[in-house]
Amino acid sequence: MGAQHVFFQEFGIPPREELLPEQAKYQKNCLVLEIANNWSFVRWLMDRHRHGELKQVDPLERDWFNFIISNNIDVEKYEKNSDQFLNEYIEK
């Protein structure tokens, strides 16, 4: 599997209490775009999770995984229709 590609610099999830509402929305949208930008890697990450093979993750993988789980993001939707995925998960 290829390495992840970070689209946005200083990627990561800061504590929510430090973010203003607009910053939180921007951060969420950046994370959704990161998932889309790294679709094959995210798919591999989630497949490992489903099969109980996700033992160790790096900080970036941890952030993506926690974000996907805590926001109930169905990553399978991206494979079916990437535009619909982005429309559903990007906050306007």
Side-chain angles (χ1 to χ4, degrees):
M1 174 58 25
Q4 316 97 300
H5 171 75
V6 178
F7 192 67
F8 295 98
Q9 287 186 332
E10 298 179 26
F11 177 80
I13 303 174
R16 286 272 180 198
E17 60 272 2
E18 296 179 17
L19 296 177
L20 297 171
E22 285 299 311
Q23 291 171 316
K25 183 168 85 173
Y26 173 78
Q27 183 69 30
K28 179 181 185 253
N29 289 344
C30 287
L31 289 164
V32 169
L33 290 173
E34 286 294 345
I35 290 168
N37 188 51
N38 290 280
W39 166 244
S40 61
F41 185 85
V42 170
R43 171 70 186 245
W44 180 67
L45 176 74
M46 297 310 290
D47 283 345
R48 289 182 352 208
H49 166 65
R50 277 188 216 102
H51 294 107
E53 300 168 357
L54 191 61
K55 305 293 182 208
Q56 289 184 309
V57 294
D58 66 28
L60 182 59
E61 292 170 332
R62 184 197 64 231
D63 285 348
W64 284 346
F65 180 78
N66 289 337
F67 176 76
I68 290 165
I69 297 300
S70 66
N71 287 281
N72 297 315
I73 293 179
D74 180 359
V75 295
E76 300 296 323
K77 286 184 178 180
Y78 183 81
E79 188 168 43
K80 294 174 187 168
N81 185 329
S82 60
D83 289 338
Q84 183 179 355
F85 174 86
L86 293 173
N87 283 333
E88 183 171 338
Y89 293 111
I90 294 282
E91 288 186 32
K92 310 290 189 259

